[in-house]
Amino acid sequence: MPFRGTNVQDKSEFSSSPNWLGYQSVAFTDVVDRSSEYENMDMFLEIYFKNQNSEYPFKYALLGSFDFDTDGNVNGDSGLLKRIVYFCDALGWDGGVNKKGQWVDGDDKEIEDIASYLNLNFTAANYDLKKDEGDLKYYIYVYKKYNEKAGQAYTTVCPKVVPNDTKSQADLESYVDWMKANKYIVEHDEKAPTSNGTSGTAASSPFDKF
């Protein structure tokens, strides 16, 4: 059955920033599975969101490797597991990964192609930027993160996706405040002469534990 580990959950302050940064109500439009391209990771899903604030999609990388215990089961505190649980809860889906890190549906049936499954069952592939506000079912936080290796800042989606309702919005906003206070989210200032963001590539994201 889908494994939640220790992740038990109840089911703009950016007036001077571009309107495509900060908190966004979005439609979920596509998933691409790139896991086979990265042998050093257990998972790499590119998850795309859209809304009327940007002509380009917001891309969330759900990636990383599981922490396993001595029995070969996913550790309940695994950072990747937490991000998977956030995402599945946002979808209102009772599937996820089992204790071996394999994708399964709510009936514990293994899913061989998770991208096709999610695209078929959850995405608004034909979302129209101009009129389909009813598809804005999700709430995300978008910011600029500086990558010292690349020498530039990239638009980044916070690794917690929630449903677009009042309670869940408050939950995400509290989470982002905590992440900022503890320096897990450091927003790049385009006007600053040097980087004020975190170093490292996406594969060594500071979000591994959150």
Side-chain angles (χ1 to χ4, degrees):
M1 63 184 296
F3 180 50
R4 298 181 66 85
T6 57
N7 305 288
V8 178
Q9 253 191 321
D10 292 335
K11 291 204 179 247
S12 167
E13 59 191 47
F14 288 88
S15 57
S16 61
S17 299
N19 64 354
W20 43 266
L21 293 178
Y23 294 102
Q24 303 287 331
S25 297
V26 292
F28 172 31
T29 58
D30 193 20
V31 181
V32 177
D33 189 352
R34 299 184 60 193
S35 303
S36 63
E37 301 174 36
Y38 296 88
E39 295 182 358
N40 62 326
M41 288 187 283
D42 293 326
M43 183 181 301
F44 190 147
L45 298 183
E46 287 185 341
I47 298 170
Y48 292 86
F49 300 99
K50 289 183 179 180
N51 69 11
Q52 67 278 11
N53 291 337
S54 174
E55 63 179 303
Y56 302 106
F58 302 104
K59 182 171 67 177
Y60 167 42
L62 179 56
L63 57 80
S65 294
F66 294 108
D67 300 319
F68 291 94
D69 62 23
T70 55
D71 294 323
N73 295 322
V74 175
N75 189 305
D77 290 321
S78 172
L80 177 57
L81 176 62
K82 291 181 180 181
R83 297 194 296 279
I84 291 169
V85 169
Y86 293 151
F87 181 61
C88 294
D89 282 353
L91 297 180
W93 181 42
D94 57 1
V97 294
N98 60 20
K99 288 189 176 183
K100 298 301 181 182
Q102 300 167 320
W103 285 101
V104 293
D105 65 17
D107 295 319
D108 207 28
K109 182 179 179 181
E110 189 171 339
I111 299 171
E112 294 185 4
D113 185 343
I114 186 59
S116 293
Y117 182 93
L118 294 174
N119 280 321
L120 178 64
N121 291 284
F122 294 103
T123 60
N126 298 316
Y127 169 70
D128 187 327
L129 292 172
K130 296 181 180 179
K131 62 182 181 181
D132 291 343
E133 293 188 6
D135 286 325
L136 304 180
K137 299 177 181 179
Y138 306 97
Y139 194 59
I140 62 175
Y141 184 75
V142 183
Y143 68 104
K144 283 286 189 177
K145 176 182 175 182
Y146 191 82
N147 184 308
E148 291 182 354
K149 185 176 181 179
Q152 64 184 52
Y154 294 95
T155 301
T156 303
V157 176
C158 169
K160 185 170 188 176
V161 179
V162 300
N164 193 18
D165 59 65
T166 302
K167 180 181 178 181
S168 299
Q169 288 174 359
D171 178 47
L172 177 62
E173 290 163 10
S174 176
Y175 176 86
V176 169
D177 287 344
W178 186 91
M179 293 286 275
K180 288 181 180 181
N182 288 275
K183 305 301 182 184
Y184 291 106
I185 288 179
V186 180
E187 297 178 276
H188 178 64
D189 183 353
E190 299 285 357
K191 298 179 181 179
T194 58
S195 163
N196 67 343
T198 54
S199 63
T201 64
S204 58
S205 167
F207 299 127
D208 286 349
K209 299 300 180 184
F210 298 90

